[in-house]
Amino acid sequence: MIKKLFLDKEIISDILKKGGITFLFRMIAMVLSFLTISFITNFFGKENFGSYSLSLTVLQMVVMVFAVGTPYAFVSFTGGFDSHEKAKGLLIKTTKIILIISVFPMFFFLFGAQFLAQFLFSKPELTNYFKIISLSIPFMILHELLCYYFISIKKTLIYSLITFIFPNVLFLGFLAIIYFLKLPNYLILLCYTTSFFVSVLIGFLIVFSGKKSINPMVSSKEILKKSFPMMVSGIFLILLNWTDILMLGRLETASNIGIYNAAFKVGYLALFFVVSMNVVVMPKISELYHKKDNQELKKVVNRATQIVILLTVPTALILILFSKSILGLFGSGFQAGSTTLILITLGALFNAMTGNVDQILNMTNNQHVVKNIFFIGFILNVLLNLYLIPKYGIEGAATSSLITNILVNSIFVVIIKKKLGFYTFI
């Protein structure tokens, strides 16, 4: 593997140069994220962290659904553009679509907050969290779209600041304010969403401070036609990743949900490098696909995946060997999630070693295949959780996640070989 890497020095240099900025800022964001988790668990308690985690999961799912796949479709379209001004024009058009679509979920969560909290989750204390969700939906979706806009025009530094630095720094600052002012605990979620609102304002100021936009001659119908299957696959991906917490939310205590969520966040550090590589690989895959340069596409995918493997394996080993010590940083009682952390890490490791499989297919006009595979994974995860959680609690949920990760990513690897003619890692 290492010999092959040295054969394509130019590709490796380009990947590392562009990916290095993302790696750095993502690492800073990781530290900031764990500081916020530690702050919440130590100053607000595991129960409030559990309620925050559950409501955040719901918010992320809503954002995924009502973004209707537009962020991913955005990068897929811009791979064929010949100017950044066209990308800006597409951003304006897509923003209008999002603002119209987001009206429905806003009203649904605003007026249905009490019903959702009491009857769906049997946790009345979540009512205020759901009201906050209703107000947050439009700008949370716009933040996602902005991030992919900067990815598409290859502005890695701005993307990294808007995605990793501004929201995390602001979140910590807002948390400190509500703690010292002794404001209600449910405002933890408001702190989180407000940090993204400010980041969106900064992002749009950056975008529209430059040259004028150009109409890319892409209709709203074309945008939705490409984005809708990506939305469906995105929904199943979120469900696949967060079904564990949602089902634990119904079957377990808030304390155990908090422990699982901490283990989940730590375990998914094994995906740190593959997710970071997405920023570099996605626009490149889209560009090469539009140029019909399959040989160069294979090289880029192979080298990116091989770099990820070399960086991920040591990270996963550290998480596995020091699982108890790492979870102990979140406070007393979190070490009970040690086995859970190991299982989640193994699943994330397998995911990382197969590469950016879903986005490779999305960027090569195979979004319908991605949708079907994630649907299979979601159904499997639900069935496994129904069987394993009542018997083994949070460790059962982690086992379900591991099995599902292995199956789903194995299918992706086989499909990419069949559709594009190569394996992602060799």
Side-chain angles (χ1 to χ4, degrees):
M1 181 190 297
I2 296 176
K3 287 183 179 180
K4 288 183 178 181
L5 285 174
F6 284 110
L7 291 175
D8 296 303
K9 291 182 181 179
E10 189 174 333
I11 294 175
I12 298 303
S13 176
D14 186 55
I15 290 173
L16 291 177
K17 183 179 178 181
K18 293 177 180 177
I21 296 174
T22 308
F23 289 155
L24 174 62
F25 283 101
R26 191 176 285 275
M27 287 180 69
I28 295 171
M30 177 184 70
V31 173
L32 291 171
S33 177
F34 283 114
L35 283 175
T36 57
I37 293 173
S38 181
F39 190 96
I40 295 170
T41 54
N42 284 289
F43 292 99
F44 293 94
K46 287 185 292 186
E47 289 75 15
N48 285 313
F49 178 63
S51 296
Y52 159 75
S53 301
L54 188 56
S55 58
L56 181 58
T57 301
V58 173
L59 175 59
Q60 289 173 332
M61 290 176 62
V62 172
V63 168
M64 176 62 73
V65 172
F66 290 95
V68 290
T70 51
Y72 301 108
F74 195 97
V75 180
S76 181
F77 275 115
T78 54
F81 290 174
D82 55 8
S83 72
H84 291 174
E85 287 72 32
K86 286 186 178 180
K88 190 183 293 186
L90 183 61
L91 175 65
I92 294 171
K93 186 167 290 188
T94 310
T95 297
K96 293 176 181 177
I97 294 172
I98 286 172
L99 290 176
I100 293 170
I101 292 174
S102 62
V103 171
F104 170 73
M106 285 180 66
F107 280 102
F108 177 78
F109 276 90
L110 183 62
F111 295 106
Q114 188 172 5
F115 172 81
L116 292 169
Q118 291 184 343
F119 295 99
L120 186 61
F121 290 99
S122 299
K123 290 178 172 59
E125 67 274 13
L126 292 178
T127 300
N128 288 321
Y129 286 90
F130 289 145
K131 288 180 179 178
I132 292 171
I133 286 175
S134 72
L135 301 174
S136 309
I137 292 167
F139 56 84
M140 292 297 293
I141 298 175
L142 288 177
H143 180 268
E144 186 86 359
L145 180 63
L146 265 175
C147 290
Y148 280 86
Y149 166 79
F150 289 118
I151 288 174
S152 71
I153 64 173
K154 301 175 184 177
K155 296 290 185 181
T156 309
L157 178 59
I158 300 175
Y159 159 78
S160 299
L161 289 171
I162 294 292
T163 306
F164 305 122
I165 304 303
F166 295 157
N168 282 292
V169 171
L170 290 166
F171 187 26
L172 265 175
F174 292 144
L175 280 175
I177 291 172
I178 68 165
Y179 174 73
F180 288 113
L181 294 179
K182 301 187 184 302
L183 297 175
N185 292 325
Y186 63 81
L187 293 180
I188 294 172
L189 183 64
L190 183 62
C191 291
Y192 177 84
T193 57
T194 304
S195 68
F196 281 87
F197 174 71
V198 176
S199 299
V200 166
L201 291 180
I202 295 171
F204 272 103
L205 286 172
I206 293 171
V207 172
F208 294 104
S209 62
K211 297 179 181 179
K212 293 183 179 180
S213 62
I214 297 176
N215 190 334
M217 303 306 292
V218 178
S219 68
S220 298
K221 184 178 180 180
E222 288 176 294
I223 294 171
L224 293 173
K225 183 179 179 181
K226 183 180 281 288
S227 69
F228 187 77
M230 293 185 184
M231 175 203 73
V232 176
S233 62
I235 293 170
F236 287 126
L237 175 60
I238 287 290
L239 287 171
L240 195 154
N241 286 333
W242 292 97
T243 296
D244 309 344
I245 290 180
L246 290 172
M247 294 182 72
L248 285 169
R250 180 70 182 180
L251 301 170
E252 282 285 345
T253 63
S255 178
N256 280 340
I257 297 169
I259 292 172
Y260 185 87
N261 191 55
F264 183 86
K265 286 182 179 293
V266 173
Y268 264 56
L269 287 177
L271 288 177
F272 178 87
F273 296 106
V274 72
V275 173
S276 298
M277 196 63 71
N278 239 354
V279 178
V280 179
V281 172
M282 278 180 63
K284 192 67 178 176
I285 292 173
S286 178
E287 179 185 334
L288 292 172
Y289 175 72
H290 280 92
K291 290 180 178 178
K292 302 186 186 304
D293 190 348
N294 200 59
Q295 188 61 34
E296 189 69 10
L297 175 59
K298 176 184 183 299
K299 284 184 180 180
V300 169
V301 170
N302 284 167
R303 301 305 168 254
T305 305
Q306 289 158 6
I307 291 172
V308 167
I309 291 172
L310 289 174
L311 294 172
T312 300
V313 171
T315 304
L317 287 175
I318 291 170
L319 296 178
I320 291 170
L321 293 174
F322 301 99
S323 56
K324 285 189 177 180
S325 300
I326 294 170
L327 286 177
L329 298 173
F330 296 107
S332 60
F334 279 85
Q335 290 178 325
S338 174
T339 302
T340 299
L341 172 55
I342 292 171
L343 292 168
I344 291 172
T345 301
L346 289 172
L349 174 61
F350 189 86
N351 189 331
M353 292 179 71
T354 57
N356 302 79
V357 284
D358 55 331
Q359 294 311 320
I360 292 169
L361 290 173
N362 271 332
M363 294 302 110
T364 54
N365 206 31
N366 288 295
Q367 56 268 20
H368 289 285
V369 177
V370 178
K371 173 193 66 178
N372 294 336
I373 294 172
F374 279 141
F375 174 72
I376 293 170
F378 166 64
I379 296 299
L380 175 64
N381 200 27
V382 169
L383 294 175
L384 287 171
N385 274 314
L386 284 172
Y387 177 73
L388 294 172
I389 290 177
K391 287 191 172 185
Y392 305 106
I394 59 175
E395 291 177 4
T399 302
S400 172
S401 177
L402 171 60
I403 295 171
T404 304
N405 261 316
I406 291 173
L407 178 65
V408 166
N409 285 284
S410 296
I411 295 173
F412 271 128
V413 169
V414 172
I415 294 296
I416 289 173
K417 172 63 175 174
K418 182 178 178 181
K419 293 279 186 181
L420 303 178
F422 60 83
Y423 290 110
T424 53
F425 44 87
I426 55 174

